[in-house]
Amino acid sequence: MKYQRPKGTADILPGESVKWQYVEATARQIFEAYRFAEIRTPMFESYEVFSRSSGETSDIVTKEMYDFEDKGGRHLALRPEGTAGVVRAFVENKLYGPEFNKPYKVYYMGPMFRYERPQSGRQREFHQIGVEAFGSESPALDVEVIAMALNLLQAFKIGHLKLALNTLGDPESRQAYHEALVNYLKPHFDELSEDSKVRLEKNPLRVLDSKDKKDQAIVKGAPSILDFLTDSAKAHFDEVKQLLGALNIDYVIDPTMVRGLDYYNHTIFEIMTTSPAFGDKEMTVIAGGRYDGLVHELGGPEVSGFGFGCGLERLLLLLNEQVTKQLAKQLAVYVVGIGTGASEATLKMVQAIRQQGFSADRDYLDRKPKAQFKSADRNQAAVVITIGEDEIKNKTAQVKDMATGIQKTLPVATLQQDFQKVYTDFRNSEGK
RNA sequence: GCGGUAUUGGUGAAGUGGUUAACACACCGGUUUGUGGCACCGGCACACGUGGGUUCGAUCCCCACAUACCGCCCCA
């Protein structure tokens, strides 16, 4: 094959795209119930928007960004995640101004790009649905957004959900913990895996997340972030837990959960699920948290933020057949033309029906009636209209209800002027 | 970026160093004249991811590359 799509990208074909439309439409519905409004930001931004927000040393910035110089010498990057661009837009458009509702709540959906090794549910161009809420430090906001994330997944009937919760505390808590963790790990340095030795230098919290057995044994004895929270950080987290309880939302505290992006603090969460699609292993579908310093970091005032990102490809892998089956679009009318002379009449008929708001299709390959009926059947046509020489002569057409097999002869004029009536008449007779 | 597995028609796949690359599904056509199912018959691979090499000869052996999938890193 001469041309192939770039590594890690996908063509979303008809049949697949209906699922995307369904997921996107459902998400919009839910978000709007929570009063989030859509924001659309560019697919690429100035490189610094991402390097500043995600952290200069984060993996995303150092090895996964698609960055390039444009013809004007600007250093740009394809967005690897959604939050940074939204925050930039929030600041640039001064959405923190007094005339806007607080919290300022937005959602987005679209492609993201990360240069990494593709795997199931993980691509170089992938899609996220995400939300951000700015301007409230209330734990109630944390909980509401988490609840919305759960709502989203529940709307798709995805089971085996697990909400994992942790807090990174405020900068003060974080620094104290950072120190304690490093002090704990240093004496074990030689026992750590090669990966973790590097992590200890770059981002010690990552060691907590190691999949290496020996590392995990060491981590077991490590201090917990929860013991290093300042009073206010602890109060925030306690309130979050209490409110989740008030909504009867189950969660598990995972003090070893960390984040790939540097901008998070306080509450962080992940929603995971197990599915055959991921080899029955746990896979994170939604992840998010609080990022109180980020708006300021990107040049805005001290405005807090809370949001999450949802991996669409991963979500799609979880949609079960029951949900997707009912998505097939039914064809209202298939027009069968018999004989070469019928093409004009057939064309006029499909056009007239389409103009009345119904879907209509026909044959374009001069196939025999039997083959045309087969197509009608395959397309799940509700009604077939047949036009042959006799019908043309008499200005009539055969109209057949495919479910019952009942066929009537009707004037062409009726079909072209009031197909709605014909259609509902058929539907009613089916009910009986 | 590292390690592993895979790559045959529209799809699922079988197969061998050597004249015709199984089988099934799908699709198209037919089984007499204008109607959806079933049955039966027939058709359907510029040749086995791409490029090199070994060989008298390779889809089957070797190398490189590409892509997919799995594990690691990381992550949605």
Side-chain angles (χ1 to χ4, degrees), chain A residues 4 8 114 116-117 120 122 199 206 260 281 284 314 368 373 378 402:
Chain A
Q4 292 179 298
R114 248 119 99 161
E116 57 181 349
R117 197 73 170 251
S120 166
R122 173 191 224 165
R199 291 186 183 113
R206 287 236 150 276
K281 269 167 290 192
T284 299
R314 289 183 181 181
K368 301 178 73 171
F373 266 87
R378 223 190 3 254
M402 292 298 273

Short mmCIF file of all heavy atoms in Angstrom, two decimals, chain A residues 4 8 114 116-117 120 122 199 206 260 281 284 314 368 373 378 402, chain B residues 2 27-30 34-36 66-68 70-71 73-76:
data_model
loop_
_atom_site.label_atom_id
_atom_site.label_comp_id
_atom_site.label_asym_id
_atom_site.label_seq_id
_atom_site.Cartn_x
_atom_site.Cartn_y
_atom_site.Cartn_z
N GLN A 4 -0.29 5.31 3.81
CA GLN A 4 -0.92 4.86 5.05
C GLN A 4 -1.10 6.07 5.94
O GLN A 4 -0.34 7.01 5.87
CB GLN A 4 -0.01 3.88 5.77
CG GLN A 4 0.19 2.57 5.08
CD GLN A 4 1.14 1.68 5.86
OE1 GLN A 4 2.29 2.01 6.06
NE2 GLN A 4 0.64 0.56 6.31
N GLY A 8 -0.23 5.87 14.67
CA GLY A 8 -0.96 6.34 15.84
C GLY A 8 -2.16 7.22 15.54
O GLY A 8 -2.68 7.86 16.45
N ARG A 114 0.06 13.53 20.98
CA ARG A 114 1.19 13.17 21.83
C ARG A 114 2.06 12.19 21.08
O ARG A 114 1.57 11.18 20.58
CB ARG A 114 0.68 12.52 23.13
CG ARG A 114 0.93 13.39 24.36
CD ARG A 114 -0.34 13.78 25.08
NE ARG A 114 -0.58 12.93 26.22
CZ ARG A 114 -1.39 13.23 27.24
NH1 ARG A 114 -2.01 14.41 27.29
NH2 ARG A 114 -1.57 12.41 28.21
N GLU A 116 3.93 9.36 21.08
CA GLU A 116 4.28 8.21 21.90
C GLU A 116 3.93 6.93 21.22
O GLU A 116 3.35 6.92 20.14
CB GLU A 116 3.60 8.31 23.27
CG GLU A 116 2.10 8.41 23.19
CD GLU A 116 1.46 8.53 24.56
OE1 GLU A 116 2.16 8.33 25.58
OE2 GLU A 116 0.26 8.81 24.62
N ARG A 117 4.30 5.82 21.83
CA ARG A 117 4.09 4.51 21.23
C ARG A 117 2.62 4.13 21.31
O ARG A 117 2.08 4.04 22.39
CB ARG A 117 4.94 3.51 22.01
CG ARG A 117 5.17 2.22 21.32
CD ARG A 117 6.16 2.41 20.18
NE ARG A 117 6.53 1.10 19.69
CZ ARG A 117 7.73 0.56 19.89
NH1 ARG A 117 8.66 1.23 20.52
NH2 ARG A 117 7.99 -0.64 19.44
N SER A 120 -3.48 -0.09 22.43
CA SER A 120 -4.93 -0.04 22.48
C SER A 120 -5.38 1.10 23.39
O SER A 120 -4.93 1.20 24.52
CB SER A 120 -5.47 -1.37 22.99
OG SER A 120 -6.81 -1.24 23.34
N ARG A 122 -4.76 4.18 23.02
CA ARG A 122 -3.69 5.16 23.18
C ARG A 122 -3.09 5.44 21.82
O ARG A 122 -2.47 4.58 21.21
CB ARG A 122 -2.66 4.52 24.08
CG ARG A 122 -1.43 5.32 24.21
CD ARG A 122 -0.44 4.46 24.88
NE ARG A 122 0.24 5.18 25.90
CZ ARG A 122 0.95 4.61 26.84
NH1 ARG A 122 1.00 3.33 26.93
NH2 ARG A 122 1.60 5.33 27.70
N ARG A 199 13.53 8.64 38.55
CA ARG A 199 12.35 9.33 39.07
C ARG A 199 12.70 10.11 40.35
O ARG A 199 12.23 11.23 40.56
CB ARG A 199 11.24 8.34 39.41
CG ARG A 199 10.62 7.66 38.21
CD ARG A 199 9.45 6.81 38.67
NE ARG A 199 8.85 6.08 37.59
CZ ARG A 199 8.89 4.75 37.47
NH1 ARG A 199 9.52 4.01 38.38
NH2 ARG A 199 8.31 4.15 36.47
N ARG A 206 6.65 10.14 41.59
CA ARG A 206 6.44 9.08 40.59
C ARG A 206 6.87 7.71 41.10
O ARG A 206 6.34 6.69 40.65
CB ARG A 206 7.24 9.38 39.33
CG ARG A 206 6.70 10.47 38.51
CD ARG A 206 6.43 9.99 37.09
NE ARG A 206 5.34 10.75 36.53
CZ ARG A 206 4.08 10.46 36.73
NH1 ARG A 206 3.73 9.39 37.41
NH2 ARG A 206 3.15 11.21 36.24
N GLY A 260 0.64 13.36 35.95
CA GLY A 260 1.71 13.59 34.99
C GLY A 260 1.97 15.05 34.74
O GLY A 260 3.04 15.44 34.30
N LYS A 281 -7.65 -5.38 32.52
CA LYS A 281 -6.85 -4.65 33.49
C LYS A 281 -7.50 -3.29 33.73
O LYS A 281 -8.29 -2.82 32.91
CB LYS A 281 -5.43 -4.47 32.96
CG LYS A 281 -4.53 -5.61 33.41
CD LYS A 281 -3.25 -5.63 32.66
CE LYS A 281 -3.48 -6.04 31.23
NZ LYS A 281 -2.34 -6.37 30.45
N THR A 284 -7.66 3.89 33.15
CA THR A 284 -8.24 5.17 33.54
C THR A 284 -8.96 5.79 32.36
O THR A 284 -8.40 5.90 31.28
CB THR A 284 -7.13 6.11 34.03
OG1 THR A 284 -6.51 5.52 35.16
CG2 THR A 284 -7.70 7.47 34.40
N ARG A 314 -10.74 5.65 24.56
CA ARG A 314 -10.91 4.67 25.62
C ARG A 314 -12.38 4.48 25.96
O ARG A 314 -12.84 3.36 26.14
CB ARG A 314 -10.15 5.11 26.88
CG ARG A 314 -8.66 5.01 26.68
CD ARG A 314 -7.88 5.36 27.92
NE ARG A 314 -6.46 5.26 27.60
CZ ARG A 314 -5.48 5.49 28.46
NH1 ARG A 314 -5.77 5.84 29.70
NH2 ARG A 314 -4.23 5.36 28.08
N LYS A 368 -31.48 -5.32 -10.95
CA LYS A 368 -32.84 -5.85 -11.09
C LYS A 368 -33.64 -5.58 -9.80
O LYS A 368 -33.07 -5.38 -8.74
CB LYS A 368 -32.78 -7.35 -11.35
CG LYS A 368 -31.99 -7.66 -12.60
CD LYS A 368 -31.90 -9.14 -12.82
CE LYS A 368 -33.26 -9.68 -13.28
NZ LYS A 368 -33.14 -11.09 -13.72
N PHE A 373 -34.51 -4.65 -3.96
CA PHE A 373 -35.21 -4.95 -2.72
C PHE A 373 -34.25 -5.46 -1.65
O PHE A 373 -34.41 -5.18 -0.46
CB PHE A 373 -36.32 -5.98 -2.97
CG PHE A 373 -37.65 -5.35 -3.23
CD1 PHE A 373 -38.01 -4.96 -4.51
CD2 PHE A 373 -38.53 -5.11 -2.18
CE1 PHE A 373 -39.23 -4.34 -4.74
CE2 PHE A 373 -39.75 -4.50 -2.41
CZ PHE A 373 -40.11 -4.11 -3.69
N ARG A 378 -31.37 -4.48 3.38
CA ARG A 378 -30.11 -4.32 4.09
C ARG A 378 -30.02 -2.95 4.76
O ARG A 378 -29.42 -2.80 5.81
CB ARG A 378 -28.94 -4.52 3.14
CG ARG A 378 -27.86 -5.35 3.77
CD ARG A 378 -26.54 -5.44 3.03
NE ARG A 378 -26.39 -4.68 1.83
CZ ARG A 378 -26.40 -5.22 0.63
NH1 ARG A 378 -26.62 -6.51 0.47
NH2 ARG A 378 -26.19 -4.47 -0.43
N MET A 402 -42.36 -2.43 4.54
CA MET A 402 -41.43 -3.56 4.59
C MET A 402 -41.63 -4.44 5.82
O MET A 402 -41.25 -5.61 5.81
CB MET A 402 -39.99 -3.06 4.52
CG MET A 402 -39.65 -2.45 3.17
SD MET A 402 -39.79 -3.64 1.82
CE MET A 402 -38.14 -4.36 1.88
P C B 2 14.87 2.56 20.51
OP1 C B 2 16.14 2.22 19.85
OP2 C B 2 13.61 2.54 19.75
"O5'" C B 2 14.70 1.64 21.79
"C5'" C B 2 15.79 1.45 22.69
"C4'" C B 2 15.40 0.48 23.76
"O4'" C B 2 14.32 1.05 24.56
"C3'" C B 2 14.82 -0.84 23.27
"O3'" C B 2 15.83 -1.76 22.90
"C2'" C B 2 14.04 -1.31 24.49
"O2'" C B 2 14.88 -1.87 25.47
"C1'" C B 2 13.47 0.01 25.00
N1 C B 2 12.11 0.25 24.47
C2 C B 2 11.03 -0.44 25.06
O2 C B 2 11.27 -1.21 26.00
N3 C B 2 9.79 -0.25 24.57
C4 C B 2 9.59 0.59 23.56
N4 C B 2 8.34 0.74 23.13
C5 C B 2 10.65 1.30 22.94
C6 C B 2 11.89 1.10 23.43
P C B 27 -24.14 -9.47 1.40
OP1 C B 27 -25.14 -8.46 1.78
OP2 C B 27 -24.55 -10.87 1.15
"O5'" C B 27 -23.35 -8.96 0.12
"C5'" C B 27 -22.77 -7.67 0.10
"C4'" C B 27 -21.92 -7.51 -1.13
"O4'" C B 27 -20.81 -8.45 -1.08
"C3'" C B 27 -22.60 -7.86 -2.44
"O3'" C B 27 -23.39 -6.78 -2.92
"C2'" C B 27 -21.42 -8.15 -3.35
"O2'" C B 27 -20.79 -6.97 -3.77
"C1'" C B 27 -20.50 -8.90 -2.39
N1 C B 27 -20.69 -10.36 -2.45
C2 C B 27 -20.09 -11.07 -3.51
O2 C B 27 -19.44 -10.44 -4.35
N3 C B 27 -20.24 -12.40 -3.57
C4 C B 27 -20.96 -13.04 -2.63
N4 C B 27 -21.07 -14.37 -2.74
C5 C B 27 -21.58 -12.35 -1.56
C6 C B 27 -21.42 -11.02 -1.51
P C B 28 -24.74 -7.10 -3.66
OP1 C B 28 -25.44 -5.82 -3.78
OP2 C B 28 -25.39 -8.26 -3.03
"O5'" C B 28 -24.22 -7.54 -5.10
"C5'" C B 28 -23.53 -6.62 -5.94
"C4'" C B 28 -23.05 -7.32 -7.18
"O4'" C B 28 -22.05 -8.32 -6.80
"C3'" C B 28 -24.10 -8.16 -7.91
"O3'" C B 28 -24.93 -7.36 -8.72
"C2'" C B 28 -23.23 -9.11 -8.70
"O2'" C B 28 -22.63 -8.47 -9.81
"C1'" C B 28 -22.13 -9.44 -7.68
N1 C B 28 -22.48 -10.64 -6.89
C2 C B 28 -22.21 -11.89 -7.46
O2 C B 28 -21.70 -11.94 -8.59
N3 C B 28 -22.52 -13.01 -6.75
C4 C B 28 -23.08 -12.90 -5.55
N4 C B 28 -23.37 -14.03 -4.90
C5 C B 28 -23.36 -11.64 -4.96
C6 C B 28 -23.06 -10.54 -5.65
P G B 29 -26.43 -7.83 -8.91
OP1 G B 29 -27.09 -6.73 -9.65
OP2 G B 29 -26.98 -8.32 -7.64
"O5'" G B 29 -26.30 -9.09 -9.87
"C5'" G B 29 -25.81 -8.91 -11.20
"C4'" G B 29 -25.57 -10.25 -11.85
"O4'" G B 29 -24.60 -11.00 -11.07
"C3'" G B 29 -26.76 -11.20 -11.90
"O3'" G B 29 -27.67 -10.87 -12.92
"C2'" G B 29 -26.06 -12.53 -12.17
"O2'" G B 29 -25.63 -12.61 -13.50
"C1'" G B 29 -24.83 -12.39 -11.25
N9 G B 29 -25.10 -13.02 -9.95
C8 G B 29 -25.37 -12.42 -8.74
N7 G B 29 -25.56 -13.27 -7.77
C5 G B 29 -25.42 -14.52 -8.38
C6 G B 29 -25.52 -15.82 -7.84
O6 G B 29 -25.78 -16.16 -6.68
N1 G B 29 -25.31 -16.80 -8.81
C2 G B 29 -25.03 -16.55 -10.13
N2 G B 29 -24.87 -17.62 -10.92
N3 G B 29 -24.93 -15.33 -10.66
C4 G B 29 -25.14 -14.38 -9.72
P G B 30 -29.16 -11.31 -12.75
OP1 G B 30 -29.87 -10.74 -13.91
OP2 G B 30 -29.61 -11.02 -11.37
"O5'" G B 30 -29.10 -12.89 -12.91
"C5'" G B 30 -28.78 -13.47 -14.18
"C4'" G B 30 -28.66 -14.96 -14.06
"O4'" G B 30 -27.73 -15.29 -13.01
"C3'" G B 30 -29.93 -15.71 -13.64
"O3'" G B 30 -30.81 -15.90 -14.73
"C2'" G B 30 -29.35 -17.03 -13.15
"O2'" G B 30 -28.98 -17.87 -14.23
"C1'" G B 30 -28.08 -16.55 -12.44
N9 G B 30 -28.31 -16.38 -11.00
C8 G B 30 -28.42 -15.21 -10.29
N7 G B 30 -28.61 -15.41 -9.01
C5 G B 30 -28.62 -16.80 -8.87
C6 G B 30 -28.78 -17.61 -7.72
O6 G B 30 -28.95 -17.27 -6.56
N1 G B 30 -28.73 -18.96 -8.04
C2 G B 30 -28.54 -19.47 -9.31
N2 G B 30 -28.51 -20.79 -9.43
N3 G B 30 -28.39 -18.72 -10.39
C4 G B 30 -28.43 -17.40 -10.09
P G B 34 -38.80 -8.64 -15.16
OP1 G B 34 -39.61 -7.44 -15.15
OP2 G B 34 -37.48 -8.73 -15.73
"O5'" G B 34 -38.55 -9.11 -13.67
"C5'" G B 34 -39.52 -9.47 -12.82
"C4'" G B 34 -39.89 -8.29 -11.92
"O4'" G B 34 -40.34 -7.21 -12.75
"C3'" G B 34 -41.06 -8.61 -11.00
"O3'" G B 34 -40.55 -8.87 -9.72
"C2'" G B 34 -41.93 -7.38 -10.99
"O2'" G B 34 -41.88 -6.73 -9.72
"C1'" G B 34 -41.22 -6.44 -11.97
N9 G B 34 -42.10 -5.62 -12.79
C8 G B 34 -42.27 -5.65 -14.14
N7 G B 34 -43.09 -4.72 -14.59
C5 G B 34 -43.48 -4.04 -13.45
C6 G B 34 -44.35 -2.93 -13.29
O6 G B 34 -44.96 -2.31 -14.16
N1 G B 34 -44.47 -2.56 -11.98
C2 G B 34 -43.83 -3.16 -10.93
N2 G B 34 -44.08 -2.68 -9.73
N3 G B 34 -43.00 -4.20 -11.05
C4 G B 34 -42.87 -4.57 -12.34
P U B 35 -40.44 -10.34 -9.12
OP1 U B 35 -39.36 -11.13 -9.75
OP2 U B 35 -41.83 -10.81 -9.15
"O5'" U B 35 -40.03 -10.09 -7.60
"C5'" U B 35 -38.71 -9.59 -7.26
"C4'" U B 35 -38.80 -9.05 -5.87
"O4'" U B 35 -39.34 -7.73 -5.96
"C3'" U B 35 -39.79 -9.90 -5.07
"O3'" U B 35 -39.11 -11.00 -4.45
"C2'" U B 35 -40.55 -8.86 -4.21
"O2'" U B 35 -40.07 -8.78 -2.91
"C1'" U B 35 -40.29 -7.53 -4.93
N1 U B 35 -41.43 -6.80 -5.48
C2 U B 35 -42.19 -6.04 -4.62
O2 U B 35 -41.99 -6.02 -3.43
N3 U B 35 -43.18 -5.31 -5.20
C4 U B 35 -43.48 -5.24 -6.54
O4 U B 35 -44.38 -4.52 -6.93
C5 U B 35 -42.66 -6.07 -7.37
C6 U B 35 -41.69 -6.80 -6.83
P G B 36 -38.20 -11.33 -3.39
OP1 G B 36 -37.24 -11.90 -4.34
OP2 G B 36 -38.75 -12.18 -2.33
"O5'" G B 36 -37.51 -10.10 -2.68
"C5'" G B 36 -36.09 -10.13 -2.43
"C4'" G B 36 -35.84 -9.46 -1.10
"O4'" G B 36 -36.99 -8.67 -0.77
"C3'" G B 36 -35.62 -10.41 0.08
"O3'" G B 36 -34.26 -10.28 0.45
"C2'" G B 36 -36.50 -9.89 1.20
"O2'" G B 36 -35.71 -9.48 2.32
"C1'" G B 36 -37.11 -8.62 0.62
N9 G B 36 -38.51 -8.40 0.95
C8 G B 36 -39.63 -8.77 0.25
N7 G B 36 -40.74 -8.37 0.79
C5 G B 36 -40.33 -7.69 1.92
C6 G B 36 -41.09 -7.04 2.91
O6 G B 36 -42.30 -6.91 2.97
N1 G B 36 -40.28 -6.49 3.89
C2 G B 36 -38.92 -6.58 3.91
N2 G B 36 -38.30 -6.00 4.95
N3 G B 36 -38.18 -7.17 3.00
C4 G B 36 -38.96 -7.70 2.04
P A B 66 10.68 2.46 10.39
OP1 A B 66 10.74 3.89 10.75
OP2 A B 66 10.89 1.42 11.43
"O5'" A B 66 9.27 2.17 9.70
"C5'" A B 66 8.83 2.99 8.62
"C4'" A B 66 7.51 2.47 8.10
"O4'" A B 66 7.71 1.16 7.53
"C3'" A B 66 6.46 2.24 9.17
"O3'" A B 66 5.80 3.44 9.50
"C2'" A B 66 5.54 1.23 8.49
"O2'" A B 66 4.71 1.85 7.53
"C1'" A B 66 6.56 0.36 7.77
N9 A B 66 6.97 -0.81 8.55
C8 A B 66 8.08 -0.96 9.33
N7 A B 66 8.18 -2.14 9.90
C5 A B 66 7.05 -2.81 9.46
C6 A B 66 6.57 -4.10 9.71
N6 A B 66 7.19 -4.99 10.48
N1 A B 66 5.40 -4.46 9.13
C2 A B 66 4.78 -3.57 8.36
N3 A B 66 5.13 -2.33 8.05
C4 A B 66 6.29 -2.00 8.64
P U B 67 5.35 3.67 11.01
OP1 U B 67 4.94 5.09 11.11
OP2 U B 67 6.39 3.14 11.93
"O5'" U B 67 4.07 2.75 11.14
"C5'" U B 67 2.92 3.00 10.34
"C4'" U B 67 2.00 1.81 10.35
"O4'" U B 67 2.71 0.66 9.81
"C3'" U B 67 1.57 1.33 11.73
"O3'" U B 67 0.49 2.10 12.24
"C2'" U B 67 1.16 -0.10 11.43
"O2'" U B 67 -0.09 -0.15 10.78
"C1'" U B 67 2.25 -0.53 10.45
N1 U B 67 3.38 -1.18 11.13
C2 U B 67 3.25 -2.53 11.42
O2 U B 67 2.26 -3.17 11.12
N3 U B 67 4.32 -3.09 12.06
C4 U B 67 5.49 -2.45 12.43
O4 U B 67 6.36 -3.11 13.00
C5 U B 67 5.54 -1.06 12.10
C6 U B 67 4.52 -0.48 11.48
P A B 68 0.27 2.18 13.81
OP1 A B 68 -0.74 3.23 14.02
OP2 A B 68 1.57 2.25 14.51
"O5'" A B 68 -0.38 0.77 14.14
"C5'" A B 68 -1.68 0.44 13.63
"C4'" A B 68 -2.01 -0.97 14.02
"O4'" A B 68 -1.04 -1.87 13.40
"C3'" A B 68 -1.90 -1.28 15.50
"O3'" A B 68 -3.09 -0.92 16.17
"C2'" A B 68 -1.69 -2.79 15.49
"O2'" A B 68 -2.90 -3.47 15.24
"C1'" A B 68 -0.77 -2.95 14.29
N9 A B 68 0.65 -2.91 14.63
C8 A B 68 1.52 -1.86 14.54
N7 A B 68 2.75 -2.15 14.90
C5 A B 68 2.68 -3.49 15.26
C6 A B 68 3.66 -4.40 15.71
N6 A B 68 4.93 -4.07 15.90
N1 A B 68 3.26 -5.66 15.98
C2 A B 68 1.98 -5.99 15.78
N3 A B 68 0.96 -5.22 15.34
C4 A B 68 1.40 -3.97 15.10
P C B 70 -2.94 -3.33 22.90
OP1 C B 70 -4.15 -3.38 23.73
OP2 C B 70 -2.27 -2.04 22.62
"O5'" C B 70 -1.85 -4.31 23.50
"C5'" C B 70 -2.23 -5.59 24.00
"C4'" C B 70 -1.01 -6.30 24.53
"O4'" C B 70 -0.05 -6.50 23.45
"C3'" C B 70 -0.19 -5.54 25.57
"O3'" C B 70 -0.76 -5.61 26.87
"C2'" C B 70 1.14 -6.26 25.49
"O2'" C B 70 1.10 -7.51 26.14
"C1'" C B 70 1.27 -6.48 23.98
N1 C B 70 2.02 -5.37 23.34
C2 C B 70 3.41 -5.40 23.42
O2 C B 70 3.95 -6.35 24.02
N3 C B 70 4.13 -4.40 22.85
C4 C B 70 3.50 -3.42 22.23
N4 C B 70 4.25 -2.46 21.68
C5 C B 70 2.08 -3.36 22.13
C6 C B 70 1.38 -4.35 22.70
P G B 71 -0.55 -4.39 27.85
OP1 G B 71 -1.42 -4.67 29.01
OP2 G B 71 -0.69 -3.12 27.10
"O5'" G B 71 0.97 -4.54 28.28
"C5'" G B 71 1.37 -5.65 29.08
"C4'" G B 71 2.86 -5.62 29.28
"O4'" G B 71 3.53 -5.77 27.99
"C3'" G B 71 3.45 -4.33 29.82
"O3'" G B 71 3.29 -4.19 31.21
"C2'" G B 71 4.92 -4.50 29.45
"O2'" G B 71 5.57 -5.41 30.30
"C1'" G B 71 4.78 -5.12 28.05
N9 G B 71 4.83 -4.07 27.03
C8 G B 71 3.79 -3.52 26.32
N7 G B 71 4.17 -2.57 25.50
C5 G B 71 5.54 -2.49 25.68
C6 G B 71 6.51 -1.65 25.07
O6 G B 71 6.34 -0.78 24.23
N1 G B 71 7.81 -1.90 25.54
C2 G B 71 8.10 -2.85 26.48
N2 G B 71 9.40 -2.95 26.82
N3 G B 71 7.22 -3.65 27.06
C4 G B 71 5.97 -3.42 26.61
P C B 73 6.59 1.19 33.97
OP1 C B 73 7.04 1.34 35.37
OP2 C B 73 5.14 1.16 33.67
"O5'" C B 73 7.24 2.34 33.10
"C5'" C B 73 8.58 2.76 33.35
"C4'" C B 73 8.96 3.86 32.39
"O4'" C B 73 8.82 3.37 31.03
"C3'" C B 73 8.05 5.09 32.42
"O3'" C B 73 8.41 5.98 33.47
"C2'" C B 73 8.32 5.69 31.05
"O2'" C B 73 9.55 6.38 31.02
"C1'" C B 73 8.42 4.43 30.18
N1 C B 73 7.12 4.10 29.58
C2 C B 73 6.72 4.79 28.43
O2 C B 73 7.48 5.64 27.95
N3 C B 73 5.52 4.51 27.87
C4 C B 73 4.72 3.59 28.43
N4 C B 73 3.55 3.35 27.86
C5 C B 73 5.10 2.88 29.61
C6 C B 73 6.30 3.16 30.14
P C B 74 7.33 6.41 34.52
OP1 C B 74 7.97 7.38 35.42
OP2 C B 74 6.68 5.21 35.09
"O5'" C B 74 6.25 7.16 33.62
"C5'" C B 74 6.52 8.47 33.14
"C4'" C B 74 5.65 8.79 31.97
"O4'" C B 74 5.62 7.67 31.06
"C3'" C B 74 4.17 9.03 32.27
"O3'" C B 74 3.93 10.33 32.78
"C2'" C B 74 3.58 8.85 30.89
"O2'" C B 74 3.85 9.95 30.07
"C1'" C B 74 4.37 7.65 30.38
N1 C B 74 3.68 6.38 30.69
C2 C B 74 2.67 5.98 29.82
O2 C B 74 2.42 6.68 28.83
N3 C B 74 2.00 4.84 30.08
C4 C B 74 2.29 4.11 31.15
N4 C B 74 1.61 3.00 31.37
C5 C B 74 3.32 4.51 32.07
C6 C B 74 3.98 5.65 31.80
P C B 75 2.68 10.60 33.66
OP1 C B 75 2.63 12.03 33.95
OP2 C B 75 2.66 9.62 34.77
"O5'" C B 75 1.50 10.22 32.65
"C5'" C B 75 0.83 11.25 31.95
"C4'" C B 75 0.00 10.65 30.84
"O4'" C B 75 0.47 9.34 30.52
"C3'" C B 75 -1.47 10.42 31.19
"O3'" C B 75 -2.21 11.61 31.02
"C2'" C B 75 -1.85 9.37 30.15
"O2'" C B 75 -2.06 9.94 28.90
"C1'" C B 75 -0.60 8.51 30.12
N1 C B 75 -0.66 7.33 31.00
C2 C B 75 -1.52 6.29 30.64
O2 C B 75 -2.18 6.40 29.60
N3 C B 75 -1.60 5.20 31.44
C4 C B 75 -0.87 5.14 32.54
N4 C B 75 -0.98 4.05 33.30
C5 C B 75 -0.01 6.20 32.95
C6 C B 75 0.06 7.26 32.15
P A B 76 -3.41 11.91 31.99
OP1 A B 76 -3.55 13.36 32.11
OP2 A B 76 -3.26 11.08 33.19
"O5'" A B 76 -4.64 11.34 31.16
"C5'" A B 76 -5.95 11.73 31.49
"C4'" A B 76 -6.87 10.84 30.71
"O4'" A B 76 -6.74 11.13 29.30
"C3'" A B 76 -6.50 9.38 30.85
"O3'" A B 76 -7.13 8.82 31.97
"C2'" A B 76 -6.97 8.78 29.54
"O2'" A B 76 -8.31 8.43 29.59
"C1'" A B 76 -6.78 9.94 28.56
N9 A B 76 -5.54 9.82 27.79
C8 A B 76 -4.29 10.25 28.12
N7 A B 76 -3.39 10.02 27.20
C5 A B 76 -4.11 9.38 26.20
C6 A B 76 -3.73 8.88 24.94
N6 A B 76 -2.48 8.94 24.47
N1 A B 76 -4.68 8.32 24.18
C2 A B 76 -5.93 8.26 24.65
N3 A B 76 -6.41 8.70 25.81
C4 A B 76 -5.44 9.26 26.55
#
